[in-house]
Amino acid sequence: MPTDPDLTTTYRAYLSALNDRRFADLTRFVHDTLTYNDELLTRAQYASMIEADTRAVPDLHFVPQLLLADADAVACRLWFTCTPTSTFFGCAPTGRQIAFAEHVFYRFTDGRIAQVLSLIDRTAIAAQLSG
């Protein structure tokens, strides 16, 4: 199935908002409530989770390496190369730059994110920060 250009454009705009730290703009991209890995969250809780990551890793930048979309879903492999400055996923900062992937699937309803399924390579993060 070909990629839906509108949903791809919407998703790239969402990533731009995250990368520019325009968390107030999430109202355009995320429903008032959503599920994140099967946990019900408000948009504010979801934004707070992402904001906490960007505080721990100020140079966190969401780079889509592989992006596919259909009528109501997006699948993306995000790549991160960054340097945590405070505890990140339970790991103390070491001043080392790390690189890791997130594989994430989004379900959109009425053009906004309603569900997120995320798998982050936390083992790679811990290994890089401890080694």
Side-chain angles (χ1 to χ4, degrees):
M1 178 177 290
T3 298
D4 182 317
D6 292 329
L7 199 50
T8 300
T9 299
T10 298
Y11 183 71
R12 288 185 184 279
Y14 163 75
L15 292 180
S16 290
L18 297 181
N19 287 331
D20 294 342
R21 309 304 190 245
R22 291 181 285 114
F23 300 114
D25 288 358
L26 291 184
T27 57
R28 291 179 43 212
F29 304 107
V30 180
H31 278 275
D32 294 343
T33 59
L34 71 153
T35 57
Y36 177 84
N37 289 344
D38 297 326
E39 180 182 349
L40 185 62
L41 299 177
T42 65
R43 182 178 43 246
Q45 290 170 313
Y46 180 69
S48 291
M49 180 179 65
I50 297 169
E51 286 180 81
D53 290 343
T54 61
R55 279 192 305 276
V57 188
D59 63 346
L60 190 71
H61 191 79
F62 297 76
V63 178
Q65 279 192 329
L66 179 61
L67 174 59
L68 300 169
D70 67 14
D72 68 347
V74 167
C76 189
R77 181 179 199 260
L78 293 168
W79 187 254
F80 301 92
T81 303
C82 53
T83 307
T85 58
S86 61
T87 301
F88 185 57
F89 292 123
C91 300
T94 61
R96 291 187 193 107
Q97 186 178 65
I98 60 172
F100 65 96
E102 176 182 13
H103 297 91
V104 63
F105 303 88
Y106 301 85
R107 178 78 56 204
F108 283 71
T109 304
D110 299 325
R112 293 191 299 165
I113 297 167
Q115 179 185 30
V116 180
L117 298 169
S118 168
L119 178 62
I120 297 172
D121 192 349
R122 293 174 187 233
T123 302
I125 293 168
Q128 291 172 74
L129 289 174
S130 68

